[in-house]
């Protein structure tokens, strides 16, 4: 279908279909800003698709957890936990806690909102184009343990 460009002329629309593969992962976590490296799981999922170029999105299906790319070493793990404790401290006065009987994780939701539920990484020749030190991690901000559900959606050719 032709599209109108900004100057009024017609342009061609690409009609190339791209494969979409979806892989899920269940990950038991403990909360309390636990960090779990999932890079190998994403690498394995990507390898299983047979795709050579595209993007992979890693999405966590929870509002009290996030996905990040970090240099995964003990100092950064400790600094990440300290950062979140200082930036968004636990506080029984958060409205989420006061309006919902028995809830104590208002700060967990706020941290998840700030960090976000997903990252997208390009891949080429079947390999993610991560930098030398970049690793994909899930951070569980909640106040109790639970199993986290993740989705890897891989689009490419």
């Amino acid at each position: 279908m032709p599209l109108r460009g900004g100057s009024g002329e017609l342009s061609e629309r690409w009609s190339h279909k791209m494969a979409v593969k979806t892989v899920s992962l269940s990950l038991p976590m403990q909360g309390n800003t636990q960090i779990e490296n999932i890079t190998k799981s994403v690498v394995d999922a990507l390898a299983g698709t047979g795709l050579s170029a595209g993007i992979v999105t890693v999405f966590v299906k929870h509002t009290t957890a996030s996905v990040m790319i970090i240099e995964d070493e003990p100092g950064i793990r400790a600094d990440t936990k300290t950062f979140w404790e200082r930036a968004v401290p636990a506080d029984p006065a958060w409205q989420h806690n006061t309006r919902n009987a028995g809830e104590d994780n208002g700060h967990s939701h706020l941290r998840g909102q700030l960090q976000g539920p997903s990252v997208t990484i390009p891949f080429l020749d079947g390999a993610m184009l991560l930098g030398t030190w970049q690793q994909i991690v899930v951070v569980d901000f909640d106040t109790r343990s639970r199993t986290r559900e993740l989705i890897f959606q891989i689009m490419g050719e």
Side-chain angles (χ1 to χ4, degrees), residues 33 35 70-86:
T33 317
I35 297 173
I70 66 171
E71 178 180 345
D72 189 13
E73 56 85 23
I76 290 296
R77 281 183 176 229
D79 292 343
T80 298
K81 184 171 180 159
T82 299
F83 168 80
W84 285 113
E85 289 171 353
R86 290 179 186 172

Side-chain angles (χ1 to χ4, degrees), residues 60-113:
V60 62
K61 296 172 58 173
H62 303 274
T63 59
T64 57
S66 291
V67 179
M68 295 192 286
I69 294 177
I70 66 171
E71 178 180 345
D72 189 13
E73 56 85 23
I76 290 296
R77 281 183 176 229
D79 292 343
T80 298
K81 184 171 180 159
T82 299
F83 168 80
W84 285 113
E85 289 171 353
R86 290 179 186 172
V88 185
D91 184 343
W94 288 118
Q95 289 295 301
H96 175 75
N97 300 337
T98 62
R99 294 177 183 224
N100 298 285
E103 291 292 332
D104 64 352
N105 66 351
H107 67 289
S108 307
H109 288 279
L110 295 170
R111 292 173 185 181
Q113 286 174 303

Side-chain angles (χ1 to χ4, degrees), residues 28-50:
M29 297 194 72
Q30 300 303 309
N32 196 31
T33 317
Q34 176 193 353
I35 297 173
E36 190 67 33
N37 192 317
I38 60 167
T39 307
K40 183 175 180 340
S41 295
V42 180
V43 166
D44 291 347
L46 178 57
T49 68

Side-chain angles (χ1 to χ4, degrees), residues 121-135:
I121 303 108
F123 65 92
L124 186 62
D125 298 327
M128 287 188 291
L129 298 175
L130 292 169
T132 301
W133 305 110
Q134 291 181 313
Q135 298 285 300

